[in-house]
Amino acid sequence: MKLRLFSRGFRFTTGNGKFYKKMDFSDPPAKASLCCEESVEGAPPTYAMYEALKDSCQNNATYFHPDDSENGQRLYQGFMTLIDHIDTVWPLVDHVRKVAPSYDFDAKSPGNGYRSFVSVVDSCVLHGLKLSRQVCTGRDALLFRKGYFVKEVESCGQLLASLGTCLHHLQTLLSWAAPGELFPIEPHSPEELFSQADTINQYCFYGRCLGFQFLPSMRGILKGISICMAGFSEAYYSHGNLISSVWTGGQYLIDPEMRARRIVNISQSASVEFCKAFWFLAESEIMKRVPSLMSSTVAVNKIITLPPEPIVMTTNEGKEMTILPPTVHIGLQGLNVRLISVNKRIGMAGEGSSTLPPAEGIIFHCHGGGFVAQSSKSHETYLREWASKLNIPILSVDYSLAPQAPFPRALEEVFFAYCWMINNFKEIGTTGKRIVFAGDSAGANLIAGCTLKILEAGLRPPEGLFMAYAPLLVSFIPSPARLLCLMDPLLPFGFMMRCLKAYASPNARGKVEKRSSKENSTSNATTPVEGNGFLKVSPSQEGASEGPSSFEEVSPSDLAELQAHKSGSERRQSSDTTISAASLTSEHTAAAGITPTEDKSQQEPESENSSTLIGEPPLLHDGENKDHKKRIKTRISEAATGLMGAMSSRLAFITGSNNIRPSQEELAVRSNLDALIARSPSDEFIFSVPRDPLLSPYWADDELLKRFPPVRILTVHLDPCLDDCVMFAKKLKGLGNEVGLDVLEGLPHGFLNFSLMAKEAHEGSNLCVERIKQLLDLENHANTPDNTEL
């Protein structure tokens, strides 16, 4: 077979020189909105894309078959393996492709987990086709790098094989659910699903092919975050051994296989405290300055501390009712809310005189962060933009965080903040004529739950809800979109499960930890990935990369500086009990040496949940040479630890920070690697979540959902929570509610936090503004009498 290359297209010839096919394919990713549609004129049918990859692989395999070198034969085997995988995957993906459209919300908003997986497989094929073309183009060149392309082709083959396994799981899900339903009718667990097919090799999703399913503008960002996650884990688990951390962190940049192993291990084994610490890096001192430098300028950006005092409300029927401040889990605490406004307005507390009248509307916002991390500060990048473009104030709630404050603490605080806002419109610069709730991720869940509480209490509801990539069914009920977390760089399977468990099932915490602490060093060691009933790593991948295997957990208090916030209770240790000048702190006060309320940092380290121990599968080395290198490395590491310990102590003395070293008892427990490795992550993922509508709004009573205000939901095709959004929108639509759904291409869960870094993410943020404007509908209500009492 002879190949001719024409710009971005392929033209193949048979032996007699007759052309039989001409194809032109775009670069990955494939569009999920189009992956299940009939071919349009001028575009090749989808099957032709798979055939093109097979033909290209066959061409390369024929070329390298006579090559007797090791890399030449590996290339030959790699391309032949790709052909086999294509033959296996095609009938599976074709079946899913045909049925996927029947699960959409409507024809104008195509999107569901089945459609997403079809687009992911198509993106993989496009990635393989692009790679094969590169080999075809450069294989005759003098400087052709066989070794590089061997790894790329083999990685692509592993990727396609793992996606084939996922497609088998989708076949099972199709049999579990009724037509048009994305959630199973009868109770089924993830463990039951994953036992139906072969194991999934997760390494391929986080190595050389990381981010293949996302837009090009996001791939670099996601790769950078993954490298930071792997490098941060080195610092987090190494006693502050900075030299070793920097060295191995740099290796993650140049060694994709090493990075993949680390990320998979973190996902399956790292505690929720690691998730909190890593996500809170978005609120480090450096990142705190980003919004003020790159985002829109706002005149008001301050923290208001709400006093923990009863609030008297008037119901829709004119009756008075008293709303008590939250006390569950962490007791009576003040509550911080952030007020952001592009302009100062008449009546704004603590802002002096102004001639601008109060705004007609207000945005009541809740931030995301998996219920365990982040705050209004880390979401300020897009909130400033929203405040500027909407020209109305935004009030964002800094609710308490799990695991210190699990459900229902955060929801009660959001409801309490809403009641306070209703009674204090003037102080925040609005008439309150139109109220729109807005939230992303965990925040979207909270505003939906808050709406249910408002309707149950008979209070004034908001005029609209805007929810971005919302988890509305807080339980790991298997669905096609939930499987996307097996390959998600920002929301991996383990992270999602631990956040869910910390918030929704706090009583299940500690059972595994307690058992693990009783294990002794003579127990039979089983690596976490081998003992995981959900995701087992194939034996062929166990030694995928070489590198340090130091993966021990120290107390999170060792990195107190990196955890800018621990929980809401710690953030709000304030003596302020009334709204006054002392409790209204603008951002510019920091320059004058005044510490903002939110920056009364957690100077007390966490005392609970700090003894969770985890372990990375140790790398086994044979031979005295490797043992010798290992001993040398250990000595160097010990020396570096001593040096950096002395430097850290000196730095702590200069800065006044608390440098807390682990105790001898903690070190002894951490050295019990057999006990660490014997713990199976699958055990800690077996827990129950109550079927509470306030926790999972999807389960709310139909009569209550019928009273929901207009809803706009925005999500992305590659979001593990996509099916939550689709099914909730379907449910509201079926009840006659006004609801709209937007599903964006190629963006990850949490893309709003990258709105300043990627064009498409910024465009998505602008679409959010448009949907919120529709809910505000201020123009149509400009002449409506305002009967709201301030």
Side-chain angles (χ1 to χ4, degrees):
M1 182 179 287
K2 183 170 61 179
L3 175 72
R4 299 178 182 177
L5 187 65
F6 293 84
S7 62
R8 297 177 63 184
F10 257 15
R11 181 175 296 181
F12 294 96
T13 66
T14 59
N16 56 15
K18 294 182 179 180
F19 296 105
Y20 72 91
K21 195 178 294 181
K22 182 179 180 180
M23 289 160 287
D24 189 15
F25 299 101
S26 62
D27 291 333
K31 289 189 176 182
S33 59
L34 301 176
C35 68
C36 301
E37 307 301 325
E38 295 295 331
S39 303
V40 296
E41 187 176 355
T46 307
Y47 184 65
M49 179 172 66
Y50 289 71
E51 282 294 296
L53 178 56
K54 286 179 61 178
D55 291 337
S56 179
C57 289
Q58 184 62 59
N59 183 283
N60 281 316
T62 301
Y63 180 88
F64 288 106
H65 184 58
D67 191 336
D68 293 332
S69 66
E70 178 184 355
N71 286 333
Q73 286 302 299
R74 287 178 64 182
L75 280 170
Y76 166 73
Q77 291 294 338
F79 283 115
M80 292 302 296
T81 301
L82 266 175
I83 295 174
D84 292 338
H85 288 325
I86 296 168
D87 290 335
T88 301
V89 164
W90 168 252
L92 297 173
V93 74
D94 186 51
H95 177 240
V96 178
R97 192 189 307 274
K98 291 175 180 177
V99 301
S102 62
Y103 294 85
D104 291 337
F105 171 68
D106 58 26
K108 296 181 180 179
S109 308
N112 60 75
Y114 293 115
R115 186 185 286 268
S116 297
F117 255 103
V118 172
S119 72
V120 168
V121 177
D122 286 351
S123 297
C124 176
V125 171
L126 286 173
H127 171 72
L129 184 57
K130 181 180 179 180
L131 177 62
S132 185
R133 288 176 176 180
Q134 291 176 340
V135 175
C136 287
T137 304
R139 65 195 183 191
D140 291 320
L142 181 63
L143 299 179
F144 178 71
R145 297 178 295 167
K146 287 185 184 179
Y148 168 80
F149 283 105
V150 162
K151 295 179 180 179
E152 292 290 332
V153 172
E154 291 176 347
S155 177
C156 185
Q158 295 166 5
L159 177 64
L160 196 55
S162 292
L163 290 176
T165 303
C166 292
L167 289 170
H168 281 289
H169 292 321
L170 294 186
Q171 308 298 323
T172 302
L173 289 176
L174 284 169
S175 67
W176 284 356
E181 294 290 326
L182 292 167
F183 299 130
I185 299 176
E186 299 178 356
H188 292 283
S189 68
E191 189 172 27
E192 182 181 353
L193 174 65
F194 292 137
S195 66
Q196 301 290 323
D198 294 334
T199 56
I200 298 175
N201 169 20
Q202 279 189 288
Y203 290 142
C204 59
F205 297 125
Y206 299 102
R208 294 179 178 273
C209 299
L210 187 146
F212 73 96
Q213 70 270 41
F214 295 100
L215 290 166
S217 62
M218 291 302 307
R219 290 174 196 161
I221 297 173
L222 296 176
K223 181 179 179 180
I225 291 174
S226 299
I227 292 171
C228 289
M229 183 191 299
F232 176 72
S233 69
E234 287 286 342
Y236 191 85
Y237 295 112
S238 64
H239 297 275
N241 186 346
L242 186 59
I243 292 179
S244 175
S245 301
V246 171
W247 170 253
T248 53
Q251 286 182 298
Y252 296 129
L253 178 63
I254 59 178
D255 190 339
E257 286 77 22
M258 180 180 176
R259 179 182 71 232
R261 172 170 181 155
R262 188 72 174 187
I263 292 175
V264 171
N265 192 269
I266 291 171
S267 170
Q268 295 188 1
S269 304
S271 67
V272 70
E273 298 298 343
F274 173 83
C275 305
K276 289 168 66 77
F278 180 69
W279 286 340
F280 270 128
L281 289 181
E283 300 191 21
S284 62
E285 289 301 322
I286 295 177
M287 297 303 296
K288 280 184 178 181
R289 301 179 184 274
V290 172
S292 59
L293 296 175
M294 300 180 62
S295 192
S296 298
T297 302
V298 293
V300 180
N301 186 1
K302 64 186 179 185
I303 290 295
I304 303 175
T305 300
L306 310 187
E309 300 172 349
I311 299 174
V312 178
M313 300 291 294
T314 302
T315 66
N316 295 329
E317 298 177 351
K319 299 178 181 180
E320 286 191 352
M321 67 180 300
T322 301
I323 306 300
L324 298 177
T327 59
V328 64
H329 295 306
I330 57 176
L332 204 63
Q333 300 284 344
L335 176 63
N336 285 351
V337 294
R338 179 182 295 273
L339 178 62
I340 299 178
S341 177
V342 70
N343 295 307
K344 296 181 180 180
R345 296 181 180 273
I346 295 175
M348 274 189 173
E351 293 301 326
S353 61
S354 175
T355 59
L356 195 66
E360 296 294 304
I362 178 73
I363 302 298
F364 185 77
H365 175 264
C366 289
H367 66 83
F371 302 103
V372 303
Q374 302 192 339
S375 70
S376 60
K377 185 67 181 179
S378 53
H379 289 63
E380 194 181 325
T381 51
Y382 67 84
L383 288 179
R384 283 172 172 256
E385 292 286 337
W386 288 9
S388 176
K389 293 177 179 178
L390 294 169
N391 196 26
I392 61 174
I394 296 177
L395 193 71
S396 184
V397 185
D398 281 328
Y399 53 86
S400 297
L401 303 174
Q404 289 78 12
F407 175 81
R409 177 69 187 213
L411 178 59
E412 291 185 359
E413 290 180 345
V414 171
F415 178 67
F416 184 79
Y418 175 75
C419 294
W420 176 89
M421 183 185 73
I422 293 292
N423 288 351
N424 293 274
F425 283 138
K426 184 176 181 180
E427 284 81 356
I428 56 179
T430 181
T431 64
K433 180 179 290 185
R434 302 285 292 177
I435 302 174
V436 170
F437 281 4
D440 68 293
S441 192
N445 172 280
L446 291 173
I447 63 169
C450 184
T451 303
L452 291 172
K453 286 182 68 71
I454 292 168
L455 295 174
E456 289 176 340
L459 300 177
R460 173 194 169 180
E463 275 63 45
L465 271 73
F466 173 78
M467 297 185 287
Y469 35 85
L472 296 164
L473 182 54
V474 183
S475 177
F476 203 83
I477 294 177
S479 82
R482 301 289 175 92
L483 295 183
L484 291 171
C485 68
L486 300 179
M487 63 187 78
D488 196 301
L490 297 178
L491 195 62
F493 176 81
F495 280 26
M496 184 174 182
M497 293 296 287
R498 284 180 178 84
C499 292
L500 185 156
K501 180 179 178 181
Y503 178 68
S505 187
N507 294 332
R509 299 184 73 253
K511 293 181 180 179
V512 176
E513 297 169 7
K514 184 176 181 181
R515 191 197 71 239
S516 297
S517 64
K518 295 180 180 180
E519 298 284 353
N520 55 58
S521 59
T522 60
S523 60
N524 295 327
T526 304
T527 63
V529 288
E530 290 175 342
N532 189 346
F534 295 160
L535 306 173
K536 299 178 182 178
V537 178
S538 59
S540 61
Q541 294 298 317
E542 189 59 36
S545 64
E546 296 182 0
S549 58
S550 60
F551 198 67
E552 303 167 319
E553 179 179 355
V554 298
S555 169
S557 59
D558 284 339
L559 292 177
E561 299 88 344
L562 295 176
Q563 300 183 55
H565 305 269
K566 294 287 188 183
S567 68
S569 61
E570 294 174 349
R571 286 201 308 272
R572 294 188 293 276
Q573 293 176 351
S574 172
S575 60
D576 299 325
T577 57
T578 59
I579 303 172
S580 62
S583 62
L584 299 172
T585 310
S586 299
E587 292 295 313
H588 65 265
T589 58
I594 303 174
T595 304
T597 305
E598 67 161 358
D599 288 333
K600 292 178 180 178
S601 302
Q602 293 66 41
Q603 297 177 4
E604 296 181 10
E606 287 184 314
S607 59
E608 61 174 346
N609 306 319
S610 61
S611 61
T612 306
L613 300 175
I614 61 180
E616 183 178 24
L619 296 176
L620 302 178
H621 300 282
D622 296 324
E624 296 181 357
N625 187 37
K626 291 186 177 180
D627 290 336
H628 179 65
K629 290 181 179 179
K630 200 171 184 180
R631 287 194 296 270
I632 292 177
K633 178 189 170 183
T634 301
R635 294 173 183 174
I636 295 175
S637 178
E638 291 174 351
T641 300
L643 174 62
M644 295 312 301
M647 294 175 63
S648 298
S649 299
R650 182 59 181 169
L651 180 62
F653 174 78
I654 295 174
T655 60
S657 62
N658 296 323
N659 181 30
I660 301 174
R661 302 293 297 168
S663 65
Q664 292 297 321
E665 182 179 355
E666 289 174 321
L667 290 174
V669 174
R670 289 173 51 217
S671 64
N672 188 357
L673 295 181
D674 288 334
L676 300 181
I677 297 171
R679 191 182 64 159
S680 170
S682 64
D683 291 339
E684 72 174 291
F685 291 158
I686 298 176
F687 57 91
S688 61
V689 176
R691 185 164 171 163
D692 189 334
L694 296 179
L695 178 64
S696 299
Y698 179 78
W699 296 127
D701 185 75
D702 288 352
E703 293 301 320
L704 206 57
L705 289 177
K706 284 181 181 179
R707 298 161 53 193
F708 252 53
V711 175
R712 297 291 184 273
I713 302 175
L714 184 142
T715 184
V716 294
H717 284 289
L718 300 173
D719 179 21
C721 301
L722 170 62
D723 291 341
D724 297 45
C725 297
V726 173
M727 291 302 295
F728 191 70
K730 281 186 175 184
K731 195 169 188 178
L732 291 177
K733 183 181 179 181
L735 295 172
N737 294 59
E738 180 185 341
V739 58
L741 176 68
D742 294 288
V743 191
L744 305 184
E745 295 279 359
L747 292 171
H749 182 96
F751 73 86
L752 284 173
N753 295 88
F754 308 114
S755 59
L756 298 180
M757 306 169 66
K759 176 185 175 183
E760 290 84 0
H762 189 261
E763 292 172 350
S765 178
N766 290 338
L767 182 58
C768 295
V769 172
E770 292 302 316
R771 296 296 178 256
I772 294 174
K773 281 183 178 179
Q774 293 174 3
L775 294 171
L776 286 168
D777 199 19
L778 293 177
E779 294 182 1
N780 294 335
H781 292 80
N783 299 321
T784 303
D786 185 8
N787 298 322
T788 304
E789 294 182 5
L790 298 181

